[in-house]
């Protein structure tokens, strides 16, 4: 592999330019080219850090030809850096296909770690971080977004979402309705920038915070939702199981319907019988 080049996956700042690492500057200055999501945007960063390496456009819609060009450069011994517009490439940003191809071909792929909105927000949220699930962006269409949130309602890990100013109110509104008004949420807005703000409280209070001040609806957001607590998880399982029994009951015996619903949702059979009798 010694004669092959290295693909460096380099994190860049998510706001404050001083967050670029010394190692990132060295690598960006030493590679033969930098594959960037938006070359015009990245040119400003390169000027600020004094790097004159040629930039090559590589984004979500780049065809295979661009990736092939980068792979050919690596195979001929040149090293290439991959950056995105902000933060860590591949984290809700392009690069997966390129890294995958480089790995399949046995090329060296080295991360240059640095800023990432996901980890920055988690590190200050004050919500459980021992286990979390990164959901990236929710879907734009209301029905699809709500269906996804519904599927996550009983999640026992903290949930992390990225959100834009266009949908922050709708998303928090949906979370309040689906996860409940008391669920704790954390919102980190404009991390490392001049107008950075944070909110930690219930989903209901978060919605009010956003609605009361239009400034809080501007910029870039990370939303972290606290895990569903154990009692709520059990209650939601039971709710799902009762609904399932009701729909199966027309075609099969009660005993069989309860067995299927219990297996499918994890709800306990005795609790399920009691819930059905009370319903
Ligand atoms: N690769 C980036 C990273 O490492 O975090 C994420 C890129 S993704 C296209 C952009 C989204 O990340 C924004 O819409 C926002 O949800 C989040 N984000 C990026 N910078 C942020 C910041 N300074 N403050 C809050 N959220 C940010």
């Amino acid at each position: 592999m010694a004669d092959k080049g290295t693909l460096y996956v380099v994190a860049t700042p998510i706001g404050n330019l001083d967050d670029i690492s010394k190692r990132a500057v060295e690598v960006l200055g030493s590679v033969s080219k930098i594959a960037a999501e938006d070359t015009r945007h990245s040119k400003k960063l390169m000027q600020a850090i004094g790097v004159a390496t040629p930039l090559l456009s590589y984004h979500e819609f780049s065809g295979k030809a661009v990736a092939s060009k980068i792979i050919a450069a690596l195979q001929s011994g040149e090293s290439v850096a991959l950056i995105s517009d902000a933060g860590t490439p591949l984290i809700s940003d392009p690069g997966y296909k390129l890294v995958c191809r480089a790995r399949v071909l046995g090329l060296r792929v080295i991360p240059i770690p640095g800023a990432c909105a996901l980890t920055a927000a988690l590190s200050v949220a004050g919500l459980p971080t021992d286990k979390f699930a990164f959901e990236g962006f929710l879907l734009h269409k209301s029905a699809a977004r709500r269906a996804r949130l519904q599927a996550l309602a009983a999640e026992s890990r903290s949930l992390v979402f990225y959100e834009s100013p266009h949908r922050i109110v709708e998303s928090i509104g949906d979370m309040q309705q689906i996860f409940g008004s008391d669920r704790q949420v954390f919102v980190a807005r404009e991390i490392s920038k001049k107008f950075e703000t944070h909110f930690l409280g219930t989903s209901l209070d978060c919605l009010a915070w956003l609605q009361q001040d239009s400034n809080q609806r501007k910029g870039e957001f990370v939303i972290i939702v606290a895990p569903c607590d154990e009692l709520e998880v059990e209650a939601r399982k039971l709710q799902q199981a009762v609904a399932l029994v009701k729909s199966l009951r027309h075609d099969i015996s009660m005993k069989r319907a309860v067995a299927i619903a219990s297996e499918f949702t994890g709800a306990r059979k005795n609790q399920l019988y009691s819930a059905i009798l009370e319903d």
Side-chain angles (χ1 to χ4, degrees), residues 182-254:
D182 292 337
R183 187 77 75 94
Q184 290 284 300
V185 300
F186 175 74
V187 172
R189 174 182 158 265
E190 296 286 88
I191 299 168
S192 79
K193 301 187 199 175
K194 192 174 172 191
F195 297 110
E196 173 166 1
T197 49
H198 301 167
F199 173 92
L200 176 63
T202 66
S203 62
L204 189 66
D205 290 344
C206 184
L207 194 57
W209 173 70
L210 289 167
Q211 282 165 339
Q212 278 157 17
D213 180 358
S214 63
N215 285 324
Q216 303 302 345
R217 304 195 287 267
K218 293 177 186 158
E220 299 188 284
F221 301 84
V222 181
I223 304 170
I224 305 183
V225 179
C228 184
D229 72 38
E230 269 177 48
L231 285 176
E232 201 186 327
V233 171
E234 290 307 315
R236 282 183 185 271
K237 271 188 206 167
L238 204 55
Q239 211 180 7
Q240 272 184 337
V242 169
L244 198 53
V245 169
K246 277 186 184 166
S247 58
L248 291 172
R249 189 64 193 90
H250 304 293
D251 305 311
I252 55 177
S253 71
M254 175 67 102

Side-chain angles (χ1 to χ4, degrees), residues 14-15 37 84 86-93 115-118 137 161-164 188-193 220-222:
I14 55 169
E37 192 182 356
S84 62
T88 303
L90 279 82
I91 306 300
S92 289
D93 265 343
C116 180
L118 153 72
F137 288 97
F161 301 90
Y162 279 171
E163 197 46 280
S164 77
R189 174 182 158 265
E190 296 286 88
I191 299 168
S192 79
K193 301 187 199 175
E220 299 188 284
F221 301 84
V222 181

Side-chain angles (χ1 to χ4, degrees), residues 43-74:
K43 208 170 166 185
K44 291 179 200 150
L45 173 66
M46 297 309 140
Q47 276 164 354
I49 61 174
V51 166
T53 307
L55 292 165
L56 165 82
S57 168
Y58 177 78
H59 48 75
E60 205 186 336
F61 308 105
S62 297
K64 273 194 177 163
V66 182
S68 300
K69 203 168 151 185
I70 297 168
I71 295 289
L74 293 167

